Amino acid sequence: MTPAIIILALVTAQRLAELWLARRNTRRLLARGGREHAAGHYPLIVLLHAAWLAGLWFLARDAPVALPLLALFLVLQGLRLWIIATLGERWTTRIIVLPPGKPLVRSGPFRFMAHPNYAVVAAEIAVLPLVFGLGWYALVFSLLNAAVLAIRIRAENAALRSVA
């Protein structure tokens, strides 16, 4: 087993665990009166992330690993966990807005920016391919992700304004 396969297996396991957590949190939020917004673009997000990871499995399984970039990717994972921990049961991969009167999370990384998760995801989509020397792959998926995030952030901001 190559180092690249170990890294990809760990990232895949992490993403699957996060999907489980997101589904659990989504069910809980909806049960508390939350409402999903802009669900139409969600399959596009899933497709983009699945294609990104599947492509890495295909292209990078025997690639050498750039340790400084791997260290950067690990820092990004720490930031990802900070975001998930800060949001707690509110963290999900969908746009779920609670009824009016529930304050937005303003602690943790949300003190510094409105959408820290999207910044981390954008960095991950670029950095992990670079760990394996796939600069062109990082560029292509970064551009695709930027297009999807433009849709997503507009939709999320509109959903949040609808209950403000």
Side-chain angles (χ1 to χ4, degrees):
M1 193 173 326
T2 68
I5 287 176
I6 294 168
I7 293 164
L8 291 171
L10 290 171
V11 171
T12 301
Q14 176 192 23
R15 295 307 197 260
L16 291 173
E18 287 174 1
L19 284 175
W20 174 84
L21 178 63
R23 284 188 185 125
R24 186 194 73 175
N25 288 347
T26 295
R27 284 192 304 272
R28 288 179 176 180
L29 289 169
L30 294 174
R32 289 176 39 207
R35 212 168 50 113
E36 183 172 5
H37 291 260
H41 73 277
Y42 186 72
L44 183 60
I45 291 172
V46 172
L47 177 64
L48 175 77
H49 287 262
W52 172 77
L53 193 53
L56 287 173
W57 272 102
F58 181 72
L59 295 169
R61 57 187 314 119
D62 295 317
V65 173
L67 293 179
L69 290 168
L70 179 59
L72 176 58
F73 186 76
L74 293 175
V75 169
L76 292 170
Q77 298 323 289
L79 293 173
R80 172 187 278 280
L81 292 174
W82 186 28
I83 291 162
I84 292 170
T86 299
L87 287 174
E89 289 187 349
R90 289 186 177 192
W91 183 83
T92 181
T93 55
R94 297 180 177 270
I95 300 172
I96 307 291
V97 177
L98 291 171
K102 303 286 185 184
L104 292 177
V105 173
R106 301 260 186 232
S107 60
F110 295 89
R111 290 176 296 186
F112 308 110
M113 62 185 341
H115 300 286
N117 192 61
Y118 301 142
V120 168
V121 168
E124 289 173 333
I125 284 177
V127 171
L128 190 57
L130 294 174
V131 167
F132 305 119
L134 297 170
W136 66 271
Y137 195 84
L139 177 62
V140 167
F141 273 90
S142 291
L143 292 172
L144 291 171
N145 186 56
V148 170
L149 280 181
I151 296 165
R152 174 69 171 212
I153 291 172
R154 260 195 314 271
E156 188 167 321
N157 286 340
L160 292 172
R161 279 192 306 273
S162 75
V163 295

